[in-house]
Amino acid sequence: MAVWKYPHMKNPFISMMILVALSTPAYVIYNTSTDATMNFDMRHALAELRTYDHFLKYYLPSHTNISSYFFGIIAAMMYMKFTRSDSQHIIKPLLKKLLTFSLVVLFSLNAFTTFLPFVNIDNKKSIFNAIFGSLLKCSWGCSYSILFIVFELKSKSRLINVLSHNLMHYLAKISYCVYIVQYSVIYGLYTNFHVPMIYGGFNMVR
């Protein structure tokens, strides 16, 4: 609302959101001495999540997921700006390059998490964990925000036609409802896996 009323505040507001998105997860990881991923432990998936301390502190709260929210807001603001611009022929190629870069960073950071159990890092007040965890969180929010803009600005294609179909809209609504009720998703997945999902302190199938 404030940005719409005072357009000159948009750039400082975006800068503030990016700063908060980067600093908040880093602060939480550093201050609580948790691991860089802040994922809840699947060993407790069948327990009552409302009483699971790690889930309540690090997975559920808004402040640990603030990067996704803020990058989504920024993406919406940028989309509105791009749709009113006469230079979309310049913006689209740049966005595609930015998307490629962000996806490379995203997959690289996530791939590196598989090596973390073998890296001798003291989690207590770890600056490395704070920086890495913050970048990991932000890479997700940034990547899918750019992806949404690229798809939205893209001219008609088979993929867009499929995703725009009424059936896909229905499935999206249903799947989101299932996602909100995460306990049922976790229970369904966990009870159908016949291999351990924990290796050290990280969620991975071995």
Side-chain angles (χ1 to χ4, degrees), residues 4-205:
W4 293 337
K5 190 172 182 180
Y6 307 103
H8 63 280
M9 292 294 295
K10 183 171 69 174
N11 289 337
F13 186 63
I14 290 175
S15 300
M16 182 199 70
M17 285 195 291
I18 293 174
L19 179 62
V20 173
L22 285 167
S23 60
T24 302
Y27 172 79
V28 173
I29 293 171
Y30 180 82
N31 194 51
T32 58
S33 298
T34 187
D35 65 82
T37 61
M38 290 197 299
N39 290 331
F40 69 99
D41 198 328
M42 285 298 291
R43 285 177 297 181
H44 301 274
L46 298 182
E48 177 54 64
L49 293 180
R50 287 178 297 178
T51 61
Y52 182 23
D53 188 60
H54 191 85
F55 179 83
L56 295 175
K57 282 185 177 180
Y58 308 125
Y59 186 82
L60 193 62
S62 297
H63 63 266
T64 59
N65 298 292
I66 199 167
S67 58
S68 298
Y69 305 145
F70 278 179
F71 281 116
I73 294 172
I74 294 171
M77 295 170 67
M78 291 296 99
Y79 170 73
M80 295 300 296
K81 180 179 180 180
F82 294 155
T83 53
R84 297 168 184 166
S85 174
D86 296 327
S87 56
Q88 286 195 23
H89 62 286
I90 300 175
I91 295 172
K92 289 180 180 179
L94 291 176
L95 281 173
K96 289 181 180 179
K97 291 180 180 179
L98 185 60
L99 176 62
T100 301
F101 175 76
S102 66
L103 290 176
V104 169
V105 172
L106 172 67
F107 288 118
S108 298
L109 290 173
N110 279 272
F112 185 71
T113 60
T114 61
F115 297 100
L116 286 180
F118 309 104
V119 180
N120 187 20
I121 300 174
D122 185 5
N123 284 342
K124 188 173 182 180
K125 303 292 184 180
S126 172
I127 295 177
F128 172 82
N129 276 350
I131 295 174
F132 177 74
S134 176
L135 293 176
L136 185 64
K137 282 277 186 180
C138 288
S139 67
W140 279 98
C142 187
S143 294
Y144 65 64
S145 295
I146 298 172
L147 181 64
F148 291 155
I149 297 177
V150 169
F151 271 112
E152 193 62 32
L153 294 178
K154 188 177 176 63
S155 55
K156 287 295 182 180
S157 67
R158 290 183 179 179
L159 178 59
I160 292 178
N161 290 337
V162 170
L163 294 176
S164 301
H165 194 275
N166 290 335
L167 177 61
M168 296 301 293
H169 289 180
Y170 174 76
L171 292 176
K173 292 177 181 179
I174 296 299
S175 63
Y176 185 72
C177 294
V178 174
Y179 166 75
I180 292 298
V181 189
Q182 292 192 34
Y183 185 81
S184 61
V185 178
I186 295 169
Y187 183 86
L189 287 174
Y190 195 82
T191 53
N192 285 283
F193 269 107
H194 302 292
V195 292
M197 295 190 69
I198 289 294
Y199 181 79
F202 296 89
N203 299 338
M204 56 188 296
V205 177

